[in-house]
Amino acid sequence: MKLAELKTSEFVDLLASDAPAPGGGSAAALEGALGAALTAMVCGLTVGKKKYADYQELAESAQKKALDLKARFVDVMDRDTEAFNVVSAAFGMPKATDEEKAARSAAIQEGLKGCTKTPFEMMELAVETLELTASILGKSNDSAASDLGVAALSLRAAIQGAWLNVLINIGSLKDTALAEDYRKKGEALLAQALPLADQIYDAVVKTM
């Protein structure tokens, strides 16, 4: 089942159920997709408008990039749930003998690496999308300024939500060097993204 193929009501009902997946990781990816989609929309509302003739090339280029980022967020949304299912299956492996215990432990650790990789990818996508959103601030349709503000908020939620999913998984990784690498890189992405999201939001508020 592809989450992206569900109706909105079906997705939120599944999210609200007692099924362990989809969960916060896929929700964070959806937030990112919404942020990218809103940025693409604002670009679309700018293209072809005489008032913004000086920014046509920028708007067209940014729209194309935003649509690509949206698609990548949607893809990772499904992959995040798939990664969780791998870990769940590993926890269900037999553990009656030492050999089975070792195989189970190894499978869990590999699964956890996959569960860490997908939310980290979301964080990278969120930073890229925020930078794109910032690039059209003040150079796009003024009537859609509020949509850029919502895009920034969605992307902020996406990267912070993804970070929580990185943290909960690296806490169980036995490869401490890998865990520390993810922690340092994640913190660097947050330090880059959060101020940028706030700057976009604040700039939008000042135009109103």
Side-chain angles (χ1 to χ4, degrees):
M1 175 189 65
K2 291 289 185 181
L3 297 177
E5 296 174 359
L6 296 176
K7 294 179 180 178
T8 302
S9 59
E10 292 173 336
F11 180 88
V12 295
D13 284 347
L14 181 58
L15 201 60
S17 74
D18 59 3
S26 291
L30 179 58
E31 285 283 7
L34 294 174
L38 284 167
T39 298
M41 184 192 80
V42 174
C43 291
L45 292 172
T46 304
V47 173
K49 300 293 191 298
K50 290 183 179 180
K51 182 178 178 181
Y52 308 102
D54 292 342
Y55 307 122
Q56 293 301 295
E57 187 175 341
L58 171 63
E60 291 175 356
S61 174
Q63 183 182 34
K64 182 178 180 181
K65 291 177 182 177
L67 289 172
D68 176 66
L69 287 162
K70 174 185 67 68
R72 290 162 65 187
F73 268 120
V74 170
D75 174 62
V76 78
M77 178 177 70
D78 270 312
R79 288 193 286 110
D80 184 75
T81 295
E82 291 167 3
F84 177 82
N85 289 337
V86 170
V87 172
S88 293
F91 273 102
M93 292 173 64
K95 50 181 178 177
T97 67
D98 288 342
E99 289 78 9
E100 288 178 345
K101 290 177 181 177
R104 178 177 178 273
S105 178
I108 290 172
Q109 287 301 307
E110 282 304 306
L112 287 170
K113 290 176 183 178
C115 279
T116 305
K117 180 180 178 180
T118 49
F120 184 78
E121 186 176 338
M122 294 174 207
M123 294 183 74
E124 293 178 316
L125 289 172
V127 170
E128 190 175 349
T129 311
L130 278 166
E131 290 175 339
L132 182 66
T133 304
S135 74
I136 63 169
L137 190 63
K139 301 175 183 178
S140 52
N141 196 319
D142 294 335
S143 65
S146 61
D147 298 297
L148 280 187
V150 177
L153 291 173
S154 294
L155 291 163
R156 195 185 209 285
I159 194 166
Q160 288 186 288
W163 177 232
L164 291 177
N165 280 269
V166 170
L167 288 175
I168 199 168
N169 285 302
I170 63 175
S172 299
L173 283 178
K174 293 181 179 179
D175 187 339
T176 56
L178 179 62
E180 184 60 22
D181 185 54
Y182 270 120
R183 184 180 294 276
K184 288 182 178 179
K185 288 179 178 178
E187 288 174 347
L189 289 173
L190 280 177
Q192 185 178 356
L194 299 187
L196 185 54
D198 291 342
Q199 288 168 21
I200 296 169
Y201 178 81
D202 292 341
V204 168
V205 170
K206 288 177 182 177
T207 67
M208 298 177 175

